[in-house]
Amino acid sequence: MGYCEAEDDRIIFVTKEDHEAPSKAELIADDPNDPYEEQGLILPNGDINWNCPCLGGMASGPCGSQFKEAFSCFHYSKEEVKGSECIDHFSSMQECMQKYPDLYPQEEENASQTESSSVPGSDNSAMLSENDSSPSAALDSVSPTDNQTLSSS
Amino acid sequence: MLTSRAVCRKLAPLIRTSSTVCRQNVRRAGLNNARIPACVPAAHMSTGPLGGGGDNLKYALLVGAAFVGGITYAVITLKGDQRRYETRLSEISTRRQRSATPVQTEPPAVEATTTEAVSEPKLEAAPSPEEPRPPPEVAAAPSETSPQPPADSTPAPPQLPSHAPYLLIGGGTASFAAARSIRARDPGAKVLIVTDEPDLPYMRPPLSKELWFSDDPSVTETLRFKQWNGKERSIYFQPPSFYIDPEHLTGAENGGVAVLVNKKVVHMDVRGNKVKLDDGTEISYEKCLIATGGVPRNLQVIERAGEEVMKRTSLFRKIEDFKSLENVSRKAESITIIGGGFLGSELACALGRKAAESGLEVVQMFPEKGNMGKVLPEYLSNWTTEKVKKEGVKVITEALVKSVSYRDDKLEIQLKDGRLVKTDHIVAAVGLEPNVDLAKSAGLEVDSDFGGYRVNAELQARSNIWVAGDAACFYDIRLGRRRVEHHDHAVVSGRLAGENMTGASKPYWHQSMFWSDLGPDVGYEAIGIVDSSLPTVGVFAKATAKDTPKAATEKSGTGIRSESETEDTAASPVASAAPAPAVENKDEYGKGVIFYLRDKVVVGIILWNVFNRMPIARKIIKDGEEHADLNEVAKLFNIHED
């Protein structure tokens, strides 16, 4: 295919003042339960989205099943100190992770115990186009990178 | 397992009844044994013209003899069968003991086939069991033996799995993303990735960007780079410890991801749900993903130019290409990159930066008028070209290669307009040919417009075959049928394929994005269809707060411009008031948003030096609305802020 002349390239230059007034552009309201949309860490029905990019490789790696057990226990925990009854699960998860030090760098272990973890995999998960899609609060730390981080970044 | 004795016990009543029946009625269904011929004459005889008591005795003797003969035959066969069966079993059990690796699935397989075989005799009379039983055993034998070691004495070589519930063909980004998705959604999933590369899955973008900026001299070995946030990481998605050995995949309690390297899938049997590798191994699957990516294209003039030219030409896609080019860049005096797209421009900038220290001459040539000419609107493409030149690259635009020859230890590139470029090495970055090698054997459809396997919106080619990444020509319900060759698309489509392989039925909806960095001043992110042949509207922030006359004129033009006005002006971008074209003011395109339109709907957006706004861009494309004033839409991006 040959190189085509651009048909029509308009340019508009705007100052800060030009863009001060709120936009009149209308956007369609999003349906939070849209099944097509990428879901965040927690699905509309309350379940955990194990495929959330924010989790990186946590749910899919060698210690994936231990992680899922521990995290599920924590998520559904109704105790006053959330997750206090899940100590055993977290211990077995940690035990598993210690067997793979290059997958689960030891300084990240604390992160996995909080719901807003996601970061443990940050190096591992950097490959994925996370951020943008996940509305979950967990992402704030990871998101800014958006693309740059993604993949290769 | 039933013993022969039990079988006999079960068969005996059958035999008795069948012989009785035979005497009474020849046409008894299910009796396809040697005794029918014996029965028939008897039956005929009973209706024959014979009469008399003597004849009756003869008749009775004949029938009796036939009956006894039949029984004897049956017993002999059964005994022989039992002997054969027991020998077989002992053979198998000793073989199992000898085999080095644990194959927990073998015993169940053996048991399954033999019980299967043994149960058949229950339905049929004595001699017939010998027919169905050996075949299942024989059938079982090859499948058992093929992964098994041939000799007893030598240690067993690694046994490749003969079956993988999830088989992913190709070991790149899409494949890895799918593997991760499958493992997250199907607990204990066993995923087998088969790749013809020697490497575990890795990401490609750093090969033409970050890896070149590394200060580490051993970067070609470590393949580590510094991310935007300062943290270092490897280009490999996961270290080797993440994966399990292919031999252990079948027996892995919690499943896992295994990667078979240096193996190419050469044949796909869709009806039989299995593939064949280049070494003859057959692997059956339940769900299969084809993520074979593509192979870099080369220029025909180079391919026809002979060995000396080909030796000094490289394509760029894999780790080995990076290593090889890095090596060349340290030795050559001049490198010429042919191609003005993403890869060509990125490599040119990367080499240009290195050239500053080494004195290497970096030339980039392409047929378009400017870098990224097929992507960016002309004014931006020109602006980008100037930036690339500032990176130390000799850019030759509107260059069509006529011929390449090797003379006096140099490559001579003859252009159609007469220009001659002498160089030491050529890098061809002229596009990717999607790999559809399996289309023929698998009977899969290939798209004639975009290339690649044709799949639906859910990335499915057939009921249990999906395609993702560069090789997938899919239906985008918002933007139409397309094929995308970007990294994030590989991630998004790989993930989606993995989700659909584990039961979801989601179409491609979350729009993937892409980005490019060409030196310190040019960084942009983009989403959707970004094709320079589409009409574009660019909204740029003023670079400085200074009020220049030019700025004033432009300010007055802002927002007042109506569509009908600009429709007259084809190439020249600025409103009538400005005396000089905006292109001259190189600073003007510092930050902005460019909208690509198709039938008045925004189908693509470039965020030019503005970051962290991709979600808004994605939303606008998802809505697919006709916006009367794109400046209003541009306001949503807050381009003046950081």
Side-chain angles (χ1 to χ4, degrees):
Chain A
M1 223 179 100
Y3 171 64
C4 310
E5 274 289 342
E7 295 165 14
D8 183 3
D9 293 323
R10 292 168 45 197
I11 308 181
I12 305 170
F13 287 94
V14 294
T15 62
K16 198 161 175 178
E17 292 73 43
D18 293 326
H19 268 198
E20 243 167 18
S23 172
K24 291 190 209 120
E26 282 169 23
L27 297 177
I28 299 173
D30 274 336
D31 173 11
N33 293 332
D34 187 350
Y36 288 1
E37 285 292 342
E38 295 268 304
Q39 298 295 338
L41 183 60
I42 309 298
L43 296 169
N45 64 0
D47 287 342
I48 300 170
N49 177 17
W50 298 116
N51 204 17
C52 178
C54 58
L55 290 177
M58 297 293 280
S60 53
C63 301
S65 45
Q66 287 90 340
F67 170 77
K68 282 184 189 173
E69 270 172 31
F71 199 60
S72 295
C73 174
F74 176 82
H75 177 62
Y76 292 111
S77 165
K78 300 261 185 297
E79 299 295 314
E80 223 184 272
V81 177
K82 197 167 166 76
S84 48
E85 76 275 30
C86 308
I87 296 297
D88 286 337
H89 292 290
F90 277 100
S91 313
S92 62
M93 180 182 83
Q94 225 178 339
E95 229 179 86
C96 175
M97 289 183 175
Q98 275 161 359
K99 283 189 247 159
Y100 303 92
D102 47 351
L103 283 181
Y104 306 103
Q106 291 310 298
E107 67 266 20
E108 305 284 7
E109 15 181 277
N110 302 325
S112 55
Q113 301 195 8
T114 55
E115 193 160 60
S116 57
S117 59
S118 83
V119 185
S122 75
D123 273 353
N124 301 331
S125 59
M127 65 157 289
L128 294 178
S129 47
E130 327 160 4
N131 3 145
D132 305 326
S133 47
S134 8
S136 108
L139 308 190
D140 290 351
S141 50
V142 186
S143 56
T145 27
D146 26 83
N147 329 296
Q148 308 283 5
T149 16
L150 294 191
S151 50
S152 61
S153 46
Chain B
M1 275 180 275
L2 298 176
T3 59
S4 204
R5 207 170 289 276
V7 167
C8 280
R9 248 182 273 130
K10 291 198 157 86
L11 282 176
L14 244 184
I15 296 165
R16 256 180 264 127
T17 34
S18 51
S19 63
T20 329
V21 162
C22 194
R23 256 183 275 141
Q24 290 165 357
N25 179 3
V26 178
R27 274 187 284 109
R28 168 92 168 163
L31 289 180
N32 55 345
N33 51 52
R35 275 180 297 106
I36 286 183
C39 287
V40 173
H44 280 177
M45 282 181 122
S46 65
T47 54
L50 286 171
D55 289 319
N56 271 341
L57 185 63
K58 266 187 241 156
Y59 165 68
L61 273 172
L62 214 53
V63 170
F67 172 62
V68 169
I71 295 295
T72 320
Y73 181 51
V75 170
I76 290 170
T77 322
L78 275 175
K79 283 251 152 29
D81 261 337
Q82 180 186 16
R83 247 182 281 122
R84 231 182 304 146
Y85 169 72
E86 280 167 7
T87 333
R88 191 100 186 83
L89 270 188
S90 59
E91 223 189 300
I92 289 167
S93 51
T94 44
R95 206 189 305 136
R96 233 186 295 143
Q97 283 157 24
R98 272 184 259 125
S99 104
T101 52
V103 271
Q104 291 100 318
T105 51
E106 291 274 331
V110 169
E111 280 169 353
T113 48
T114 46
T115 35
E116 224 181 279
V118 162
S119 61
E120 284 181 22
K122 283 192 238 165
L123 311 168
E124 297 175 37
S128 53
E130 72 200 73
E131 286 134 36
R133 213 195 290 159
E137 277 189 339
V138 165
S143 63
E144 288 161 17
T145 46
S146 51
Q148 289 239 1
D152 307 336
S153 47
T154 55
Q159 290 183 16
L160 301 185
S162 56
H163 176 78
Y166 296 99
L167 178 69
L168 312 187
I169 304 175
T173 306
S175 200
F176 183 79
R180 184 175 271 189
S181 195
I182 292 168
R183 289 278 302 154
R185 290 169 51 84
D186 180 359
K190 293 172 185 162
V191 181
L192 179 68
I193 293 177
V194 180
T195 173
D196 61 2
E197 283 192 61
D199 302 295
L200 293 173
Y202 60 90
M203 51 184 75
R204 289 188 208 286
L207 293 180
S208 61
K209 293 187 274 290
E210 288 89 338
L211 285 183
W212 292 95
F213 307 144
S214 170
D215 302 315
D216 184 359
S218 63
V219 69
T220 48
E221 291 311 313
T222 64
L223 299 173
R224 292 185 72 82
F225 64 98
K226 208 171 275 182
Q227 295 174 96
W228 70 285
N229 57 6
K231 269 170 119 172
E232 240 200 31
R233 67 153 296 155
S234 163
I235 62 168
Y236 291 100
F237 290 119
Q238 293 286 5
S241 51
F242 174 85
Y243 307 96
I244 64 176
D245 282 332
E247 303 91 76
H248 300 144
L249 183 67
T250 321
E253 200 189 303
N254 288 328
V257 182
V259 183
L260 212 51
V261 294
N262 290 317
K263 294 272 182 226
K264 196 175 162 89
V265 175
V266 294
H267 187 274
M268 188 164 186
D269 175 1
V270 170
R271 202 191 286 219
N273 290 321
K274 56 185 196 271
V275 299
K276 197 192 292 187
L277 307 184
D278 50 0
D279 65 357
T281 315
E282 277 196 357
I283 304 178
S284 59
Y285 59 82
E286 283 155 54
K287 309 271 172 93
C288 181
L289 173 75
I290 298 177
T292 45
V295 168
R297 293 199 177 117
N298 198 347
L299 288 173
Q300 277 199 344
V301 289
I302 291 178
E303 285 179 326
R304 283 190 249 128
E307 207 198 305
E308 291 301 316
V309 172
M310 285 292 275
K311 256 187 353 197
R312 291 166 178 78
T313 303
S314 46
L315 300 170
F316 198 88
R317 174 124 172 124
K318 307 185 217 179
I319 289 176
E320 61 187 62
D321 300 322
F322 164 71
K323 290 184 177 179
S324 142
L325 185 61
E326 201 274 343
N327 191 33
V328 167
S329 70
R330 278 186 276 112
K331 298 177 184 161
E333 282 171 5
S334 161
I335 296 180
T336 299
I337 296 160
I338 302 181
F342 289 99
L343 185 60
S345 307
E346 284 172 9
L347 281 176
C349 287
L351 286 172
R353 275 233 259 174
K354 269 194 102 134
E357 315 135 15
S358 60
L360 165 75
E361 182 199 41
V362 183
V363 181
Q364 187 188 6
M365 58 169 69
F366 43 80
E368 295 84 31
K369 286 190 189 168
N371 286 82
M372 314 304 303
K374 288 193 186 160
V375 173
L376 301 176
E378 198 178 327
Y379 62 92
L380 227 42
S381 167
N382 293 339
W383 193 87
T384 306
T385 310
E386 294 307 306
K387 290 294 174 191
V388 172
K389 285 179 183 167
K390 282 218 181 81
E391 288 296 304
V393 181
K394 288 201 177 92
V395 182
I396 303 176
T397 61
E398 295 176 287
L400 285 162
V401 179
K402 185 173 165 188
S403 69
V404 184
S405 41
Y406 174 66
R407 198 170 297 144
D408 298 328
D409 204 32
K410 281 275 195 196
L411 290 178
E412 289 190 356
I413 306 170
Q414 182 75 56
L415 301 180
K416 284 198 177 150
D417 60 7
R419 287 179 284 181
L420 185 74
V421 176
K422 289 191 189 166
T423 192
D424 294 319
H425 194 92
I426 291 175
V427 179
V430 294
L432 188 80
E433 188 63 46
N435 183 339
V436 290
D437 290 347
L438 292 172
K440 189 145 188 229
S441 59
L444 296 175
E445 202 180 356
V446 172
D447 190 272
S448 42
D449 296 319
F450 301 100
Y453 295 97
R454 201 177 267 174
V455 295
N456 63 10
E458 286 83 10
L459 306 183
Q460 243 185 341
R462 290 286 297 272
S463 51
N464 57 357
I465 303 174
W466 287 261
V467 188
D470 292 353
C473 176
F474 66 102
Y475 184 68
D476 182 324
I477 45 190
R478 181 52 85 209
L479 301 176
R481 184 158 286 278
R482 51 202 285 241
R483 188 174 66 81
V484 181
E485 285 175 7
H486 293 297
H487 173 90
D488 191 51
H489 171 75
V491 173
V492 168
S493 63
R495 261 188 82 221
L496 178 66
E499 285 181 321
N500 289 344
M501 286 164 87
T502 48
S505 307
K506 288 168 59 174
Y508 190 92
W509 185 242
H510 175 92
Q511 206 48 247
S512 62
M513 50 78 66
F514 61 95
W515 76 100
S516 192
D517 291 317
L518 298 174
D521 295 334
V522 185
Y524 62 88
E525 298 175 350
I527 186 171
I529 299 177
V530 172
D531 184 331
S532 62
S533 63
L534 293 174
T536 66
V537 174
V539 181
F540 291 89
K542 300 295 224 40
T544 63
K546 273 188 252 165
D547 247 49
T548 61
K550 195 165 224 81
T553 10
E554 278 147 11
K555 188 175 173 179
S556 65
T558 312
I560 297 169
R561 197 169 313 200
S562 67
E563 259 190 279
S564 52
E565 218 184 82
T566 48
E567 248 145 55
D568 295 329
T569 60
S572 122
V574 183
S576 47
V583 174
E584 267 184 14
N585 247 351
K586 294 177 176 67
D587 291 343
E588 298 296 356
Y589 307 116
K591 300 201 311 173
V593 186
I594 302 111
F595 299 100
Y596 287 70
L597 302 159
R598 195 171 60 187
D599 301 327
K600 300 191 187 164
V601 173
V602 175
V603 293
I605 298 175
I606 289 189
L607 300 175
W608 191 257
N609 279 331
V610 298
F611 304 100
N612 305 329
R613 276 106 157 142
M614 196 43 76
I616 309 162
R618 186 172 281 120
K619 170 73 177 142
I620 292 164
I621 294 190
K622 180 177 85 160
D623 282 355
E625 296 277 286
E626 271 187 40
H627 291 278
D629 186 355
L630 284 169
N631 186 34
E632 292 299 318
V633 181
K635 281 185 184 174
L636 297 169
F637 290 90
N638 284 320
I639 57 180
H640 296 92
E641 271 145 72
D642 266 333

